[in-house]
Amino acid sequence: MLPLPRHAVLGNERSVVDLDSVETSLHPSRTDLGAEGYELLIEAGGTAIVAATEHGLWNGHCTLRQLMAVDGSAPHAHVIDTPRFAWRGAMLDVARHFFTVDEVKRFISLISRYKLNRLHLHLTDDQGWRLDIPGWPALARHGGSTATNGDPGGYYTLDDWREIVHHGERHFVTVVPEIDMPGHTNAALASVSELNVDGVCPPLYTGKQVGFSSLRMHLPATERFVHDVVRTLAENTPGPWLHIGGDEAHSTDHAEYVEFIELLQREVAATGKRMVAWEEAGAAPLHRDTVVQHWLSTDKVAAAPAGVGVVLSPASHTYLDMRHDEDDPLGRRWAGDIDVDAAYGWDPVDVVPGLAADRIVGVEAPLWTEKVPTFDAVEHLCFPRLLCLAEVGWTPQPMRQWDDFRVRLQHETNRLAMEGVNVHRSKLL
Ligand code: IFG
């Protein structure tokens, strides 16, 4: 079983499980199980799953499916399980390279098997704008027309977007859309002349540099643009969070950056959603229900205002665009090689010195796609390393042992390979 349940007793007896006759029952009174926990019982007389929520029942089914062998049998078992952290996510960068609705839905289906419950979609960047915004047609049609290296572009219509988020809902994966601002905005600047100081659109960008683009606070069109973009996202996203980026705004002066984050904070709050931003946004005053995402600088995230929650994505353990090892033909190197041991071997409470454990809302592994042109490459870089992240986010630290996890990871990697997933075969497994 992966992630490892908090409490599991497996018997030697086995019984065939008929998935259509599993007895599932919702008991809101089982507050011990919380929002996602479950109790699973497999006996000769039948199988039962109890939870306080539908999400808990889903998680119980995920565990049951993992216990079942190809002949449909499963060991007699008693499992009581709840997650360590609430936010257990993956990020897919669909801006540097575009991935279709079906590919995103496949990604959601795969990550949900391991009880990951957030999909952060990085929708816009210098190389691409991937979501149609009514009233600003050029953003997606022009800004989404290409990709890194001049590879094929693409974008999601609002119907596509709804298809993605509803697939997420059916798999208990909350989709968190990101429109990266004020930096990482060349695709928008190349599409809307009024967003540029000189009123002239720069060319579309297909390179791999970062930090050279910025929206401008004081241009008349900027506030209307931000308002329309945030509102479109909010109206079409059932989840409670909107990610507004905020990273690497190297071409935005500090005062203007802070002003911009405050504008975004106001616009997101006005929609009733909660704001998520990369750690740099901690330089600005933030509402207490905002979440900042750590990726590189522990100082920046430690500086975030008191009460603000933190999602941990330490690049050295979670940046899935890094290669596994020196023989890996795919992947970057700037954050170091990340094989399955490094993806697994970290405790979230150790990442940011001085950060109170109760401010950690969870963990997330981003896949940036400057060098990831195909979904096969996505699978190679994400599986099985995302399964390591899943256990970091779910299983209590005292129960985590590499030697035990390694065996379970090997088993799951083989299962994914048998199902046609382009898994990476780590030398460590
Ligand atoms: N950092 C940039 C990403 C991407 C990444 C590649 C963040 C928050 C380097 N920002 O990580 O856009 O270029 O590894």
Side-chain angles (χ1 to χ4, degrees):
M1 292 175 284
L2 195 161
L4 186 65
R6 181 176 298 277
H7 166 86
V9 176
L10 302 187
N12 297 321
E13 300 286 304
R14 297 182 71 85
S15 293
V16 172
V17 174
D18 171 6
L19 285 171
D20 295 331
S21 63
V22 174
E23 189 190 319
T24 59
S25 46
L26 275 179
H27 291 284
S29 60
R30 285 294 304 270
T31 51
D32 59 307
L33 298 175
E36 292 191 59
Y38 62 90
E39 182 162 6
L40 165 66
L41 199 55
I42 303 173
E43 296 176 315
T47 300
I49 303 174
V50 172
T53 67
E54 292 290 348
H55 195 160
L57 292 179
W58 167 268
N59 286 332
H61 268 99
C62 287
T63 298
L64 173 58
R65 297 300 298 265
Q66 282 197 18
L67 284 170
M68 290 173 68
V70 285
D71 66 0
S73 73
H76 292 180
H78 181 212
V79 180
I80 299 175
D81 200 7
T82 58
R84 181 182 181 190
F85 294 108
W87 184 302
R88 304 178 309 281
M91 186 207 83
L92 184 58
D93 169 9
V94 296
R96 275 52 180 271
H97 276 98
F98 179 69
F99 295 97
T100 65
V101 170
D102 284 344
E103 289 169 334
V104 174
K105 287 166 72 175
R106 175 177 167 84
F107 192 74
I108 288 173
S109 301
L110 285 170
I111 68 173
S112 69
R113 292 168 52 163
Y114 303 99
K115 306 191 181 77
L116 292 176
N117 61 7
R118 304 281 185 272
L119 173 62
H120 167 182
L121 279 176
H122 185 76
L123 289 167
T124 67
D125 213 297
D126 293 316
Q127 296 86 344
W129 183 284
R130 304 297 181 202
L131 181 67
D132 188 25
I133 304 291
W136 304 78
L139 283 173
R141 287 159 190 77
H142 182 63
S145 62
T146 184
T148 308
N149 300 330
D151 287 337
Y155 67 87
Y156 308 117
T157 64
L158 289 179
D159 283 343
D160 292 335
W161 179 250
R162 290 184 196 103
E163 189 177 340
I164 288 170
V165 296
H166 293 154
H167 190 78
E169 285 184 308
R170 286 194 297 276
H171 290 75
F172 294 91
V173 173
T174 301
V175 174
V176 181
E178 179 187 351
I179 301 284
D180 203 345
M181 295 181 276
H184 285 273
T185 43
N186 189 78
L189 298 168
S191 307
V192 180
S193 56
E194 309 97 289
L195 294 176
N196 296 274
V197 173
D198 56 4
V200 176
C201 288
L204 290 171
Y205 180 71
T206 60
K208 299 186 185 67
Q209 297 305 311
V210 297
F212 59 85
S213 57
S214 180
L215 293 171
R216 288 283 165 240
M217 246 330 268
H218 306 299
L219 291 179
T222 299
E223 286 214 30
R224 186 166 57 82
F225 166 81
V226 168
H227 176 83
D228 291 353
V229 166
V230 170
R231 194 147 291 276
T232 300
L233 267 191
E235 286 166 1
N236 293 280
T237 301
W241 295 285
L242 300 184
H243 198 308
I244 56 84
D247 65 309
E248 298 183 316
H250 303 326
S251 302
T252 318
D253 77 46
H254 182 70
E256 186 178 7
Y257 176 81
V258 171
E259 232 186 307
F260 213 101
I261 298 298
E262 290 177 317
L263 166 66
L264 288 163
Q265 179 79 86
R266 285 196 305 276
E267 287 292 338
V268 169
T271 69
K273 301 292 188 182
R274 297 177 56 184
M275 188 168 91
V276 186
W278 295 103
E279 65 195 11
E280 292 92 328
L286 300 173
H287 292 188
R288 293 180 70 82
D289 69 355
T290 295
V291 171
V292 293
Q293 184 167 7
H294 164 59
W295 64 285
L296 187 63
S297 158
T298 53
D299 298 345
K300 285 198 173 79
V301 74
V308 163
V310 179
V311 168
L312 294 168
S313 300
S316 56
H317 290 282
T318 68
Y319 266 35
L320 300 174
D321 56 329
M322 297 305 119
R323 67 181 193 181
H324 293 83
D325 58 35
E326 68 281 354
D327 299 328
D328 190 346
L330 268 182
R332 308 183 75 162
R333 304 175 60 169
W334 70 264
D337 292 353
I338 303 178
D339 207 333
V340 287
D341 56 343
Y344 173 81
W346 62 287
D347 182 353
V349 295
D350 293 340
V351 174
V352 181
L355 180 70
D358 64 2
R359 289 187 57 191
I360 300 172
V361 296
V363 295
E364 181 181 298
L367 177 71
W368 301 103
T369 59
E370 288 96 329
K371 295 191 171 179
V372 187
T374 65
F375 197 72
D376 255 6
V378 168
E379 291 186 343
H380 167 86
L381 291 167
C382 290
F383 301 99
R385 286 186 298 181
L386 266 179
L387 280 62
C388 305
L389 189 279
E391 187 129 331
V392 172
W394 183 279
T395 303
Q397 190 62 24
M399 297 179 65
R400 296 183 53 214
Q401 306 267 342
W402 165 251
D403 291 338
D404 163 67
F405 175 74
R406 186 181 157 283
V407 174
R408 288 182 288 120
L409 186 65
Q410 190 148 28
H411 176 78
E412 281 304 316
T413 302
N414 292 338
R415 189 194 292 233
L416 287 169
M418 277 189 297
E419 294 180 19
V421 178
N422 183 41
V423 289
H424 170 70
R425 293 295 187 171
S426 167
K427 299 190 191 81
L428 301 174
L429 295 183

